[in-house]
Amino acid sequence: MAYSNLTLNASMQNSTSTGNVTHSVSTSGSHLIDYINYIFLPATVVIGVSGNLITIVIMKSRHFSLKPSSYLLICLAISDTVLLLMQPFNKAFFIDIIGQDVRAINEVICKLYFVIRRTSKVTSSWFVVGLCIERFIAVWFPLRAKFVVTKRVVLTGILAVCLIVLAFTGSFSYSSKVVAGICQPDVYDLTDTAEVDRFGAMLKAGSCLYSIIPMVILITLTPLIVAKMVQQNQKRLVMAGPAINKVKDDGRVTAMLIGVVIAYVILVLPITILHNAAYELKISAFASNNEDFNLFKEISQLLEQLNHTLNFFLYVMTSYRFRSVFMNFLTCGHYRALKTPSSVTLKSRSSTNTM
């Protein structure tokens, strides 16, 4: 296949492509984005990776390790960490700093890079879906939840997701090639109708796997979870003892999930629209000279990167137990606030009754 007919031909696009990023025609908007990237990229990598590592440590603590959902949160943190660590190699200014695209040392490395990158992105989406399904079962079928959502079931689901996603991303790697010293993710011949259709089918399948199907599941189940929690909160007024504490605990975990879901939908949807719009317009998503399109591309990438950075902060903001364990982590075990006021009150009442 002649490279002169490839979608990423620089002379056809009037720009110099660098993999998933582009040195476009200089504009004030592109300069602003470049300055933002110089600050935003290292900040999100450092903050995101640190937060994800802390999340893994907290999920391994005795307060979370017995919950099946902790395995999903650990895997989500690992996927997000892998993607964040790979992100610098995908940026034009980083390639300029080191003087070459290290992904383009040979075609095997180029393909491997995008297999790992895509796998981490897609598995991250499905781990969020797994959390949502776990919450749905726990809230709607509390008596059956501990028999349905077991450690074995969760680990089997995680393994199945990883294998299916890896098989797809491995197949999609056929379009990742080194062109003019740059590792490109979407190389195909625009003059070959069969190849265009093949790439389009893979792109649509990837979009469904990465965002569309997960979003449909999340948008369907999350309102049902919220509705059930509202119903349980109304019953809470007449509850006493352990029952009321169980409802409160479920409410906190559900609030954490809702935060993750809302962030996921807002931050991931733009990048999905970007890739499919580029295909329909018959241009490369990362080698177009359209200034408005390039600005949308940069904003979409920034939002996507935030999606893999913010989960730790969402956990801190929405989960009392997570905050408590985190404070213990920061103070080396000197912080002691894991018991809610209601549980302390119940224990004091129990002590009074036995005296």
Side-chain angles (χ1 to χ4, degrees):
M1 176 173 62
Y3 282 144
S4 59
N5 291 327
L6 298 177
T7 62
L8 300 175
N9 188 314
S11 62
M12 292 173 62
Q13 299 293 345
N14 294 320
S15 62
T16 305
S17 172
T18 55
N20 260 9
V21 286
T22 305
H23 295 296
S24 305
V25 178
S26 296
T27 64
S28 58
S30 65
H31 281 311
L32 178 60
I33 292 294
D34 286 341
Y35 292 138
I36 292 174
N37 271 322
Y38 274 110
I39 300 172
F40 186 83
L41 178 63
T44 52
V45 170
V46 172
I47 295 172
V49 171
S50 299
N52 289 327
L53 292 178
I54 293 172
T55 298
I56 293 172
V57 172
I58 292 176
M59 288 301 116
K60 296 293 289 183
S61 71
R62 62 185 178 86
H63 303 285
F64 288 95
S65 60
L66 296 180
K67 296 179 179 294
S69 58
S70 66
Y71 296 100
L72 289 167
L73 289 168
I74 289 172
C75 290
L76 176 60
I78 292 173
S79 292
D80 289 345
T81 299
V82 170
L83 185 65
L84 288 170
L85 290 175
M86 300 188 75
Q87 192 70 5
F89 302 99
N90 206 39
K91 292 294 183 179
F93 77 87
F94 183 80
I95 295 175
D96 289 340
I97 289 173
I98 63 177
Q100 68 171 7
D101 185 354
V102 296
R103 305 169 303 172
I105 294 176
N106 59 58
E107 202 157 286
V108 173
I109 294 177
C110 177
K111 291 181 183 297
L112 182 61
Y113 173 85
F114 282 106
V115 167
I116 297 174
R117 176 178 168 81
R118 287 166 174 161
T119 299
S120 62
K121 289 172 61 173
V122 179
T123 53
S124 177
S125 297
W126 281 96
F127 294 147
V128 173
V129 171
L131 288 168
C132 188
I133 293 173
E134 186 273 335
R135 276 295 86 201
F136 176 77
I137 295 173
V139 171
W140 276 84
F141 310 101
L143 299 179
R144 299 180 183 178
K146 65 179 181 179
F147 301 107
V148 176
V149 186
T150 63
K151 175 182 175 181
R152 176 177 295 181
V153 169
V154 171
L155 291 178
T156 301
I158 290 172
L159 179 61
V161 165
C162 291
L163 292 177
I164 292 171
V165 172
L166 191 59
F168 174 79
T169 56
S171 300
F172 203 4
S173 67
Y174 83 89
S175 64
S176 301
K177 298 178 182 179
V178 178
V179 181
I182 299 297
C183 178
Q184 306 285 7
D186 51 357
V187 178
Y188 63 99
D189 190 348
L190 278 173
T191 64
D192 187 335
T193 303
E195 191 168 342
V196 171
D197 291 341
R198 179 190 179 190
F199 182 84
M202 294 295 289
L203 178 63
K204 288 179 174 61
S207 298
C208 289
L209 197 60
Y210 173 47
S211 61
I212 296 176
I213 295 176
M215 282 183 189
V216 170
I217 296 173
L218 295 174
I219 292 173
T220 301
L221 294 185
T222 303
L224 294 175
I225 295 171
V226 173
K228 193 67 173 180
M229 289 304 303
V230 170
Q231 181 183 358
Q232 290 179 348
N233 285 333
Q234 292 173 347
K235 294 180 179 180
R236 193 175 70 183
L237 296 175
V238 295
M239 288 182 180
I244 189 171
N245 292 328
K246 176 65 167 61
V247 173
K248 286 182 178 180
D249 189 55
D250 281 346
R252 296 187 186 102
V253 177
T254 302
M256 181 172 67
L257 168 67
I258 292 172
V260 173
V261 169
I262 292 174
Y264 173 82
V265 173
I266 293 174
L267 300 177
V268 168
L269 186 59
I271 198 72
T272 304
I273 295 173
L274 173 79
H275 285 287
N276 286 276
Y279 174 76
E280 294 299 330
L281 294 171
K282 295 295 182 288
I283 61 175
S284 169
F286 304 101
S288 171
N289 63 350
N290 185 299
E291 294 180 7
D292 292 334
F293 190 88
N294 285 334
L295 181 60
F296 178 60
K297 173 201 69 177
E298 294 292 345
I299 293 173
S300 299
Q301 288 184 314
L302 292 177
L303 292 176
E304 183 186 39
Q305 198 165 330
L306 273 177
N307 178 58
H308 302 280
T309 305
L310 293 180
N311 284 340
F312 169 77
F313 299 97
L314 292 173
Y315 303 155
V316 170
M317 288 188 295
T318 58
S319 174
Y320 169 79
R321 187 173 293 275
F322 189 94
R323 286 196 302 272
S324 299
V325 179
F326 177 53
M327 288 302 298
N328 261 336
F329 175 79
L330 288 181
T331 60
C332 299
H334 296 296
Y335 182 79
R336 291 289 182 269
L338 286 174
K339 296 177 181 178
T340 61
S342 58
S343 64
V344 173
T345 302
L346 287 170
K347 282 197 173 185
S348 63
R349 287 178 181 174
S350 176
S351 300
T352 303
N353 292 335
T354 57
M355 290 178 64

